[in-house]
């Protein structure tokens, strides 16, 4: 008669599994995964809209199984379970039902268990268990416009103050979206739930639509159109014939400084500089002027810019330039600044508090200084012969930041002065105009402050 084993089968199984793990590690140098699976998509609270919720599981070996349920410690409702089909990453969409009145809503938790396919733990694998509070939220944020500038001119900028209310608001979602793809980031204004932002209508866009967008943590979204009066403006179109002297001189020497591409003729060199290099320079300017600093609006002020004493305008903002050779169009570009000239190597002055965000060479713009101001406003000064500031400097009213010059693609001594709002070039004439600033910026802020604080 066959004698029964003195050891239970379960103990034998554990011993065999442990031995297999030892053999894999010692003799075959195969690493056994000891890391538990990772659960993505959850934090301490699960905000749920319409019952739908998305999760992602990942593991170094593979996902063996998962089990998801809802519990209040007294009752349990299974939501979903399954296997990982030997995948290292899987995404799971679950539908959390509306719970009946007998569920303790305050103590209801979403419970998630994930097991991997590792040989660790005697072949049972590594397990991750996570419980998070459930908040059902199907109400979208409420947006209330407080004040905004009276109008927005093509190529220009405007200001808006608004309120967003939602118990579970996601502050990072609040933005101003536009029809041309640009998002403007608002700042907190005076108190929580109130926001302020400049926004812009680029000179090269024929139309403008702006929307305030806000989401909560359950992804409920509200989108409100900004009801601002829009003023169209026609900007000048200039035809400029490229002279042989200009091509053989300034263009040829400037092209040789970059040496980033080949060109057979001076016309090709000009096209590269006017389009390829200009795009790089403008992208650099945009990246340097996107950020919006934290501001204190209790005593906000900004003065009209006055960069060059007794400066005369020699080129306007918004000019659309068509360059020709032998009466044939070869290239185009927009002039996104105001060219000012007085005497040779004249002082350039900042008359607003600022932080220096850039100083140095910027391609066609030559030696350039960019200053960051409040509200995401930036001022730019290019073609300088000398600069007197460094990145990171804090400067005050009356500081001489440099001198006019001819660096970059400049034929005569001048300063190219630009104003930007969160990376978008806007009409300098507005920010040079005391009355425009009073009516469209300062009055909007003061009127909005009175409403917010009352």
């Amino acid at each position: 008669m066959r004698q029964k084993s003195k050891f239970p089968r379960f103990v034998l199984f554990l011993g065999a599994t442990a031995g297999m793990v030892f053999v894999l590690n010692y003799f075959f140098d195969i690493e056994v995964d000891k890391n538990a699976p990772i659960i993505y998509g959850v934090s301490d609270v699960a905000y749920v809209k319409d019952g739908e919720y998305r999760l992602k599981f990942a593991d170094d070996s593979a996902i063996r199984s998962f089990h998801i349920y809802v519990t209040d410690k007294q009752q349990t409702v299974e939501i979903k379970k399954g296997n990982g089909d030997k995948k290292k990453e899987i995404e799971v969409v679950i539908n959390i039902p509306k719970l009946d009145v007998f569920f303790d809503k305050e103590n209801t938790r979403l419970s998630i268990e994930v097991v991997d396919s590792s040989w660790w733990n005697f072949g049972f694998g590594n397990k991750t268990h996570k419980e998070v509070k459930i908040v059902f939220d199907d109400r979208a944020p409420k947006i209330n416009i407080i004040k905004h500038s009276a109008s927005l001119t093509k190529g220009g900028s405007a200001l808006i103050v608004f309120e967003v209310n939602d118990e579970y608001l996601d502050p990072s979602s609040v933005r101003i979206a536009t029809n041309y793809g640009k998002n403007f980031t608002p700042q907190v204004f005076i108190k929580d739930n109130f926001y302020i932002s400049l926004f812009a209508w680029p000179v090269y866009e024929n139309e403008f639509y702006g929307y305030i967008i806000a989401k909560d943590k359950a992804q409920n979204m509200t989108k409100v159109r900004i009801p601002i009066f829009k003023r169209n403006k026609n900007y000048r179109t200039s035809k400029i014939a490229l002279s042989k002297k200009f091509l053989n001189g300034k263009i040829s020497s400037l092209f040789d400084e970059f040496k980033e591409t080949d060109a057979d003729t001076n016309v090709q060199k000009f096209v590269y500089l006017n389009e390829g290099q200009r795009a790089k320079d403008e992208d650099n300017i945009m990246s340097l002027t996107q950020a919006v600093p934290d501001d204190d609006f209790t005593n906000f002020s900004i003065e009209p810019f006055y960069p060059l004493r007794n400066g005369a305008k020699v080129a306007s903002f918004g000019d659309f330039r068509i360059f020709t050779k032998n009466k044939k169009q070869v290239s185009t570009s927009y002039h996104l600044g105001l060219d000012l000239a007085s005497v040779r190597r004249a002082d350039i002055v900042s008359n607003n508090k600022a932080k220096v965000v850039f100083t140095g060479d910027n391609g066609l713009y030559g030696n350039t200084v960019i200053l960051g101001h409040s509200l995401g406003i930036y001022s730019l000064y290019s073609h300088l012969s000398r600069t007197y500031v460094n990145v990171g400097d804090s400067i005050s009213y009356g500081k001489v930041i440099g001198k006019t010059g001819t660096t970059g693609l400049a034929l005569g001594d001048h300063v190219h002065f630009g104003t930007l709002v969160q990376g978008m070039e806007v009409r300098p004439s507005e920010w040079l105009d005391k009355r425009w600033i009073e009516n469209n910026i300062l009055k909007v802020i003061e009127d909005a402050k009175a409403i917010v604080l009352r």
Side-chain angles (χ1 to χ4, degrees):
M1 186 174 182
R2 188 174 180 181
Q3 187 176 3
K4 291 185 177 180
S5 171
K6 294 181 180 179
F7 296 98
R9 291 182 180 179
F10 180 71
V11 174
L12 291 173
F13 170 75
L14 292 180
T17 303
M20 185 177 295
V21 171
F22 174 80
V23 169
L24 288 173
N25 276 277
Y26 188 81
F27 291 102
F28 294 95
D29 196 28
I30 297 175
E31 184 178 352
V32 176
D33 176 20
K34 302 176 186 178
N35 298 320
I38 300 173
I39 302 173
Y40 295 99
V42 291
S43 54
D44 294 333
V45 181
Y47 297 92
V48 179
K49 170 188 176 183
D50 298 329
E52 185 175 287
Y53 200 72
R54 293 178 178 271
L55 296 166
K56 180 179 177 181
F57 310 139
D59 187 77
D60 294 337
S61 52
I63 303 298
R64 177 182 294 172
S65 63
F66 63 87
H67 188 196
I68 305 168
Y69 50 96
V70 172
T71 181
D72 66 355
K73 302 303 182 184
Q74 302 298 320
Q75 303 179 78
T76 298
V77 176
E78 184 178 88
I79 302 299
K80 196 167 190 175
K81 65 179 180 179
N83 59 63
D85 297 324
K86 298 181 179 180
K87 295 179 180 178
K88 292 187 176 183
E89 289 188 2
I90 62 171
E91 291 188 2
V92 177
V93 179
I94 59 176
N95 286 292
I96 302 176
K98 292 289 185 182
L99 304 175
D100 61 41
V101 294
F102 298 105
F103 256 85
D104 181 358
K105 298 294 179 65
E106 288 300 315
N107 292 309
T108 299
R109 299 291 185 268
L110 180 67
S111 184
I112 309 160
E113 291 182 355
V114 186
V115 181
D116 69 12
S117 299
S118 171
W119 282 95
W120 194 242
N121 290 329
F122 302 103
F124 291 103
N126 303 288
K127 180 170 74 173
T128 298
H129 178 244
K130 188 174 183 67
E131 285 193 357
V132 296
K133 179 179 174 61
I134 298 176
V135 172
F136 291 96
D137 180 18
D138 56 7
R139 292 178 296 181
K142 293 182 179 179
I143 296 174
N144 176 37
I145 296 175
I146 306 298
K147 281 287 180 180
H148 58 75
S149 303
S151 63
L152 172 64
T153 300
K154 181 179 179 180
S157 47
L159 184 69
I160 189 167
V161 178
F162 58 93
E163 179 184 13
V164 183
N165 280 308
D166 192 289
E167 184 179 0
Y168 307 115
L169 178 68
D170 176 7
S172 66
S173 74
V174 181
R175 68 188 192 275
I176 293 177
T178 64
N179 59 302
Y180 58 90
K182 166 70 177 179
N183 288 323
F184 292 91
T185 303
Q187 298 167 265
V188 174
F189 179 74
I190 306 296
K191 295 196 308 187
D192 289 344
N193 300 326
F194 291 90
Y195 295 87
I196 185 171
S197 182
L198 286 165
F199 54 95
W201 179 1
V203 67
Y204 44 79
E205 292 291 337
N206 291 326
E207 187 54 274
F208 173 85
Y209 296 105
Y211 305 88
I212 303 168
I213 293 178
K215 293 182 182 179
D216 60 25
K217 293 175 182 178
Q219 298 303 299
N220 298 295
M221 185 182 82
T222 300
K223 180 178 179 179
V224 173
R225 186 164 168 174
I226 299 173
I228 196 165
F229 179 75
K230 294 174 287 189
R231 297 180 183 275
N232 203 356
K233 178 174 174 58
N234 294 320
Y235 291 88
R236 186 175 66 177
T237 297
S238 304
K239 284 192 174 183
I240 302 173
L242 300 173
S243 68
K244 186 175 181 180
K245 180 180 179 181
F246 174 64
L247 292 171
N248 293 343
K250 189 74 173 182
I251 293 302
S252 182
S253 61
L254 193 59
F255 182 84
D256 290 341
E257 291 182 22
F258 297 105
K259 297 180 180 178
E260 294 182 4
T261 186
D262 294 326
D264 296 328
T265 67
N266 286 335
V267 170
Q268 291 174 345
K269 292 178 181 180
F270 173 81
V271 171
Y272 167 75
L273 291 174
N274 190 54
E275 297 176 10
Q277 186 60 45
R278 185 181 297 280
K280 292 180 183 179
D281 301 339
E282 291 176 355
D283 284 346
N284 187 44
I285 292 170
M286 181 178 289
S287 68
L288 290 164
T289 57
Q290 294 273 13
V292 185
D294 292 329
D295 291 323
D296 180 4
F297 293 98
T298 53
N299 294 297
F300 177 85
S301 67
I302 189 165
E303 295 292 327
F305 291 89
Y306 189 45
L308 187 63
R309 188 176 183 84
N310 299 320
K313 181 177 72 175
V314 292
S316 300
F317 171 84
D319 283 358
F320 181 63
R321 294 172 172 178
I322 301 173
F323 299 95
T324 64
K325 181 62 176 174
N326 299 325
K327 298 184 179 180
K328 292 183 180 180
Q329 178 176 315
V330 296
S331 188
T332 63
S333 65
Y334 281 94
H335 186 247
L336 299 177
L338 186 65
D339 287 353
L340 301 170
S342 60
V343 298
R344 188 169 178 265
R345 298 201 172 186
D347 286 345
I348 298 168
V349 178
S350 171
N351 60 327
N352 275 298
K353 292 181 180 180
K355 177 82 75 173
V356 181
V357 300
F358 178 81
T359 177
D361 181 72
N362 190 44
L364 302 188
Y365 288 78
N367 290 335
T368 297
V369 171
I370 300 177
L371 305 180
H373 309 278
S374 294
L375 272 174
I377 304 165
Y378 292 82
S379 58
L380 174 146
Y381 312 82
S382 292
H383 305 309
L384 309 185
S385 58
R386 293 194 67 182
T387 60
Y388 299 122
V389 292
N390 298 301
V391 172
D393 287 354
S394 293
I395 61 176
S396 56
Y397 183 90
K399 170 69 176 178
V400 177
I401 61 173
K403 290 182 176 291
T404 60
T406 58
T407 57
L409 187 53
L411 296 180
D413 187 286
H414 72 283
V415 60
H416 173 96
F417 172 67
T419 49
L420 302 98
V421 169
Q422 293 191 36
M424 303 303 299
E425 301 266 9
V426 294
R427 302 177 68 208
S429 58
E430 292 180 342
W431 297 99
L432 294 167
D433 185 344
K434 184 176 180 64
R435 184 175 179 182
W436 182 90
I437 292 174
E438 285 284 349
N439 292 334
N440 291 277
I441 305 299
L442 300 180
K443 190 174 188 303
V444 173
I445 290 175
E446 287 305 310
D447 288 351
K449 190 191 302 182
I451 294 172
V452 171
L453 295 177
R454 71 184 176 192

